[in-house]
Amino acid sequence: LSPLFVGPERSLAPVHARRHALQVTAAQIASVGALSLSGLLLMLFARRDPTFGYRWFAAGSFLLGVGQLEPFLQVAPLPDRAWTWVGTTAFCTAGLCFVFAVHRLVHGARPRLERGLLCTWVVFAAGFAAVPQPWIFAARLFWFVATLGLGAYVAWHLFADPETRVSFRRRVP
């Protein structure tokens, strides 16, 4: 738990402003940055992208931005349960888009693996929509951990040696 500050408003205003900047404003900037990055990528590479890798990356950036918007909106545009589903699904599906982008940009498309991941994600999304209200947090946490696994998979592909599939290459003199 964070400390509780008690005192006159004048003396607490700088502390509040600093914490608000770190906890809210920085996250809002990151969300807007992800949305801006997706638009910039689409403008630059939409016509010159034969592998669709940059388009997948732009879609992932857009979904990441939408997923990050969920905590900042004062009034949700949908009912609470639906908005939680949209935000969580967008955030977690961004990882799937990044996997597709890395496949196309680094190692070439892998259709069977991508179809399997897509089917798994559809099951997760449908399951998350059907989870009873008391279990929403646990289901969301489970899906976030699965998305973290996709992030590790993407990092492994980015840093692995394409010939041996050994991660974190060592240079031999």
Side-chain angles (χ1 to χ4, degrees):
L1 295 173
S2 60
L4 178 66
F5 295 103
V6 179
E9 185 179 346
R10 265 187 23 230
S11 64
L12 294 178
V15 174
H16 173 70
R18 188 171 35 249
R19 289 187 60 108
H20 187 270
L22 287 174
Q23 293 179 346
V24 177
T25 309
Q28 289 172 337
I29 290 171
S31 181
V32 170
L35 293 171
S36 301
L37 178 65
S38 68
L40 180 67
L41 281 172
L42 283 178
M43 286 189 320
L44 291 176
F45 295 110
R47 293 187 182 175
R48 298 179 280 172
D49 188 16
T51 63
F52 290 92
Y54 290 108
R55 294 178 201 177
W56 278 113
F57 191 82
S61 296
F62 176 77
L63 289 170
L64 188 65
V66 169
Q68 291 173 343
L69 282 178
E70 179 193 0
F72 304 120
L73 293 179
Q74 298 288 330
V75 178
L78 298 171
D80 188 44
R81 179 70 189 257
W83 184 241
T84 301
W85 183 85
V86 167
T88 303
T89 303
F91 189 79
C92 292
T93 306
L96 192 64
C97 291
F98 292 140
V99 167
F100 292 173
V102 165
H103 280 175
R104 282 161 178 73
L105 294 172
V106 177
H107 298 296
R110 297 197 166 129
R112 288 181 63 202
L113 177 62
E114 290 174 0
R115 278 195 300 269
L117 286 172
L118 188 60
C119 289
T120 304
W121 239 242
V122 167
V123 168
F124 278 5
F128 188 72
V131 166
Q133 184 67 30
W135 294 95
I136 289 287
F137 179 75
R140 192 177 202 182
L141 189 62
F142 176 76
W143 202 1
F144 284 160
V145 169
T147 303
L148 188 63
L150 283 180
Y153 175 79
V154 166
W156 182 77
H157 270 287
L158 289 176
F159 297 116
D161 186 1
E163 295 170 7
T164 62
R165 292 282 181 233
V166 175
S167 189
F168 303 110
R169 295 178 260 186
R170 286 187 284 164
R171 294 185 184 219
V172 179

